[in-house]
Amino acid sequence: MAKGEAPWLLLIHQIPKDPAYLRVKVGRRLAAVGAVALKNSVYVLPNRDTCREDFSWVRREIVDGGGEAAVFEAVALEGVSREDLERMFREARAEDYQELNEKVGLLESRARSTVPPGRQAAQAEVARIEERLGEIERIDFVSQPEARIARDR
């Protein structure tokens, strides 16, 4: 981010009641890109090229589904400090890392007590966990200490 550039991107949307699946689809997409909710229809991401592209895709899905959406740059968010936003991002990713670490713990105990065919299944699960870890790290905008713990396991 260049000096003087707005540090945040906001996606503000209005989604029609029908089709109902659109709300679920948009909610899942926003979670997948790491956006955090400021209000019901207001989401924030850091102002980065990848985040701008993610919000553009979500905006397009909303508009194509009959809703309205816009992406804005924001220098300041009244009533929400930078520390508040970083805490929100940290909390969102902490849940992801905790879930992943729980899966790793179960997999470790299963791998120790499993005969060779079960080990092959465990290896496939390890590959899925590593892929999920990469996804979480991509949207970990505040570099969680839990990331190192998950990576080291």
Side-chain angles (χ1 to χ4, degrees):
M1 179 175 60
K3 185 175 181 174
E5 194 173 300
W8 306 110
L9 295 172
L10 300 177
L11 172 75
I12 302 173
H13 69 73
Q14 185 173 359
I15 300 175
K17 290 182 182 181
D18 291 318
Y21 73 85
L22 183 61
R23 284 188 183 283
V24 174
K25 180 180 177 182
V26 169
R28 287 182 180 155
R29 171 77 77 181
L30 288 167
V33 301
V36 295
L38 291 180
K39 300 282 183 192
N40 263 350
S41 315
V42 181
Y43 291 82
V44 65
L45 281 173
N47 189 357
R48 300 177 181 171
D49 290 339
T50 55
C51 295
R52 182 180 301 279
E53 184 177 341
D54 289 338
F55 266 175
S56 291
W57 279 103
V58 174
R59 188 193 75 73
R60 174 64 21 219
E61 286 182 285
I62 293 168
V63 171
D64 288 350
E68 297 176 26
V71 177
F72 299 92
E73 292 183 352
V75 174
L77 303 172
E78 190 171 326
V80 182
S81 70
R82 179 180 198 90
E83 292 78 22
D84 291 336
L85 284 170
E86 288 176 358
R87 179 185 43 76
M88 292 167 72
F89 283 116
R90 229 182 334 282
E91 288 173 356
R93 297 300 69 82
E95 291 174 19
D96 292 338
Y97 285 122
Q98 181 180 355
E99 179 183 313
L100 193 68
N101 280 324
E102 288 171 6
K103 286 182 181 179
V104 170
L106 290 171
L107 185 60
E108 287 173 339
S109 65
R110 207 171 75 209
R112 282 191 296 268
S113 63
T114 307
V115 293
R119 287 191 192 121
Q120 290 174 340
Q123 288 173 340
E125 183 66 19
V126 166
R128 284 190 292 276
I129 288 172
E130 287 176 345
E131 182 179 331
R132 178 64 182 136
L133 178 59
E135 292 168 357
I136 296 169
E137 289 175 329
R138 184 180 93 68
I139 60 173
D140 184 359
F141 303 117
V142 292
S143 299
Q144 298 274 38
E146 289 90 342
R148 186 177 27 76
I149 294 166
R151 179 59 65 193
D152 290 346
R153 287 186 99 178

